[in-house]
Amino acid sequence: MKYLLSTITLFLLGIQMGFAQAPPALLTLEEALSQTLENNFDIQLAANNLKINEANVYRGNAGMLPSLALVANSNDNFTNTTQTQSDGSSRELNNSKNNSLNYGAALNWTLFDGFKMFAKYDELKQTQVQGQKLLQIKILEKVNEVYTVYYDLVQQQKLFTALDTAVVISKQRLEIAENRYQIGKASKLEVLNAKVDLNTDITTLTRQKEYYYNTKVRLNRVISRDTFKLDFIVESNVAINWDLKLVDLLLQLDAQNPDLQLAIINADIAQLQYKQLRADRYPTLLLNSGYTFSESESSLGFVSKSSGRGWNYGFTARLNLFDGQRQSQKEKIARFEIDNAQILIERQRQYIESELMMAFQTYSTNLELVNLEGKNEEIAKQNLEITLDKFEIGTISTLEFRTAQLNYVNAVVRNNNAQYQAKLSEVILKVLVGKLDI
């Protein structure tokens, strides 16, 4: 029994896994989350998309500001020209050259467009908020994935410890069986059964080592760090929040759930797009102005060369009277899109509420199982210790010993899984209300 306890103690000091001689570094959940927020590729893409949306929010993009451009226009032509004067005389010139040059600055400014520019500017700002919610959704998605994989790794690490303990016990059982066989107190069959069970435990431990290794790789991928950086362990404790209340969570949905808020933003954008369509029913007033230089030459005519410069300005007004009812159809479709946006809000709210209620029921059940399986593991551990002592003195059969051993391993597995599932259900609840601890 002392050999068993000392072996387990040494194992719990650090899982070497055969990858390195030095003790592996501890990767905390906080470090994993911090590295994910900094390095994850999907979060970086969503953050850049938000920057694009932010850059698009300016008044000029909505058509509120004037445009000023330098313009130049040159025309040259060669013609065969015949001119008849008022006195009846005529003049002719072949390949007469005529050219004109106009250049200057042109100003165009939309003064009124039915308030379309203001609706467009509001739409740009809503698009920026939309990008913020999409980034929040992506962060929640990746943080949720980190929680899931990290606590899965915690579970696999604990299971690896339990299975390694089972191998140690099986080796001790084989040693006892061989000693008893040597002094004639056990049959060869007992020794063979011990070897078979030991090989079974070693096979299970080897499979667990593979899963443990692959889970580390998955965690590195989620964090977006070096895939080959595997010399680490994770925290052994699973801190479960036991105080979540369904009523409180439901009250937080509208204000915090990013998917629901995104649906509301989409409805606002649909309203703003409808306003922009309605603006086409109003007149449009444009200001045109500029400063122009002009030059012209003519080979035949009363004036052979002229030039000028000066300001010009004017207004252009336009009102659509009839466009084949396209305006009415556009507005009709836009109203349907507004209705659909409202329906999507209600559908999203109902879906999230139902998901939250089911997740809370799962959370409550898992909390009960954590209590139950924790007690079962303690009982199974005590039973294994008593069984091992009795087996050493030969008062119980190998079958009873093996049953106690498997019961302990299974109890550890169930307890670890109960804690893992309870933590996952807690995380899911927080993701649904958009308030996951980061």
Side-chain angles (χ1 to χ4, degrees):
M1 189 65 188
K2 293 180 180 179
Y3 171 72
L4 171 63
L5 293 177
S6 62
T7 303
I8 296 174
T9 302
L10 288 173
F11 183 83
L12 292 175
L13 291 176
I15 301 176
Q16 300 301 317
M17 296 292 293
F19 298 120
Q21 296 298 322
L26 174 64
L27 176 65
T28 65
L29 178 61
E30 290 76 13
E31 291 172 341
L33 292 172
S34 176
Q35 293 178 29
T36 300
L37 295 177
E38 182 179 353
N39 301 328
N40 183 267
F41 301 122
D42 292 329
I43 292 178
Q44 291 180 24
L45 290 172
N48 284 337
N49 289 334
L50 173 58
K51 292 178 181 177
I52 293 173
N53 292 337
E54 291 173 346
N56 280 327
V57 182
Y58 63 97
R59 297 182 184 278
N61 200 23
M64 293 183 175
L65 302 180
S67 63
L68 179 63
L70 293 176
V71 295
N73 181 35
S74 176
N75 290 298
D76 294 273
N77 61 77
F78 294 89
T79 60
N80 296 328
T81 305
T82 300
Q83 292 184 349
T84 301
Q85 306 298 318
S86 58
D87 59 0
S89 62
S90 64
R91 295 188 301 171
E92 294 184 5
L93 181 63
N94 294 329
N95 293 323
S96 64
K97 180 181 179 181
N98 300 280
N99 61 68
S100 63
L101 175 63
N102 296 280
Y103 58 94
L107 175 72
N108 294 284
W109 194 355
T110 301
L111 300 179
F112 182 75
D113 62 353
F115 306 104
K116 178 188 290 187
M117 63 181 74
F118 297 98
K120 179 62 178 179
Y121 186 61
D122 289 338
E123 181 187 354
L124 292 174
K125 290 190 288 186
Q126 285 297 95
T127 303
Q128 177 184 343
V129 179
Q130 185 184 57
Q132 293 172 350
K133 294 306 173 183
L134 289 173
L135 175 58
Q136 183 182 355
I137 290 172
K138 185 56 65 176
I139 290 175
L140 284 174
E141 175 186 320
K142 291 304 171 182
V143 169
N144 179 29
E145 194 172 352
V146 171
Y147 270 95
T148 302
V149 180
Y150 187 91
Y151 282 114
D152 186 21
L153 190 56
V154 172
Q155 178 186 215
Q156 300 309 319
Q157 187 170 278
K158 289 183 177 181
L159 181 55
F160 187 89
T161 304
L163 294 176
D164 184 78
T165 302
V167 171
V168 172
I169 295 173
S170 294
K171 288 180 179 178
Q172 188 174 0
R173 172 191 166 194
L174 176 59
E175 182 181 344
I176 294 172
E178 288 177 338
N179 291 337
R180 293 174 62 183
Y181 175 72
Q182 293 295 331
I183 62 177
K185 289 187 176 182
S187 64
K188 183 68 173 177
L189 181 61
E190 183 176 329
V191 176
L192 294 176
N193 285 334
K195 287 183 178 180
V196 170
D197 291 339
L198 174 59
N199 290 335
T200 300
D201 292 341
I202 292 175
T203 299
T204 304
L205 179 62
T206 303
R207 288 295 184 188
Q208 179 59 28
K209 183 184 295 185
E210 174 193 359
Y211 194 87
Y212 181 68
Y213 176 92
N214 290 339
T215 307
K216 281 187 173 184
V217 175
R218 287 171 53 212
L219 182 59
N220 283 340
R221 182 175 63 191
V222 175
I223 297 175
S224 297
R225 70 174 190 167
D226 187 359
T227 307
F228 297 96
K229 193 175 183 180
L230 299 172
D231 186 26
F232 68 91
I233 59 174
V234 292
E235 299 171 297
S236 58
N237 295 326
V238 178
I240 302 172
N241 188 341
W242 296 75
D243 300 324
L244 297 180
K245 306 296 182 183
L246 180 60
V247 175
D248 296 336
L249 295 172
L250 286 171
L251 291 176
Q252 298 174 24
L253 278 183
D254 281 358
Q256 297 181 178
N257 181 272
D259 291 298
L260 183 56
Q261 290 178 332
L262 185 61
I264 295 173
I265 292 170
N266 289 335
D268 292 338
I269 291 176
Q271 288 280 3
L272 292 170
Q273 290 174 343
Y274 176 70
K275 286 184 178 180
Q276 294 176 58
L277 284 174
R278 287 284 302 173
D280 291 336
R281 290 188 176 274
Y282 294 87
T284 301
L285 180 62
L286 302 162
L287 168 64
N288 308 299
S289 181
Y291 193 85
T292 306
F293 296 85
S294 63
E295 295 179 6
S296 64
E297 293 183 0
S298 176
S299 299
L300 184 65
F302 292 105
V303 180
S304 61
K305 185 177 182 179
S306 67
S307 63
R309 61 180 180 177
W311 289 100
N312 63 83
Y313 62 92
F315 295 92
T316 301
R318 183 179 183 277
L319 176 62
N320 180 34
L321 298 178
F322 183 74
D323 63 351
Q325 296 185 334
R326 288 192 297 270
Q327 177 69 26
S328 299
Q329 289 299 110
K330 290 179 181 178
E331 293 178 11
K332 182 178 181 181
I333 293 173
R335 286 193 294 269
F336 284 133
E337 290 176 347
I338 292 174
D339 292 340
N340 285 341
Q342 293 297 325
I343 293 172
L344 289 174
I345 292 175
E346 296 306 317
R347 187 184 73 174
Q348 187 70 26
R349 180 180 286 110
Q350 184 186 58
Y351 173 79
I352 295 173
E353 288 176 352
S354 62
E355 288 293 310
L356 185 65
M357 294 178 67
M358 291 188 292
F360 188 83
Q361 181 58 47
T362 302
Y363 165 76
S364 302
T365 301
N366 287 331
L367 291 183
E368 295 179 10
L369 292 177
V370 168
N371 282 325
L372 178 61
E373 297 300 345
K375 295 176 182 178
N376 284 341
E377 182 178 341
E378 288 297 323
I379 295 172
K381 182 179 179 181
Q382 295 176 14
N383 182 54
L384 177 61
E385 292 173 350
I386 296 172
T387 302
L388 181 59
D389 290 336
K390 289 184 177 182
F391 181 73
E392 288 178 342
I393 61 177
T395 57
I396 63 172
S397 65
T398 57
L399 179 60
E400 291 175 299
F401 176 80
R402 182 62 176 174
T403 300
Q405 184 185 18
L406 292 178
N407 285 342
Y408 170 70
V409 174
N410 291 333
V412 171
V413 172
R414 290 197 306 271
N415 187 25
N416 287 339
N417 186 63
Q419 294 183 47
Y420 175 64
Q421 294 299 330
K423 189 62 182 181
L424 285 190
S425 58
E426 173 199 330
V427 171
I428 290 173
L429 286 173
K430 292 181 177 180
V431 169
L432 287 171
V433 298
K435 194 178 180 181
L436 189 58
D437 298 329
I438 301 177

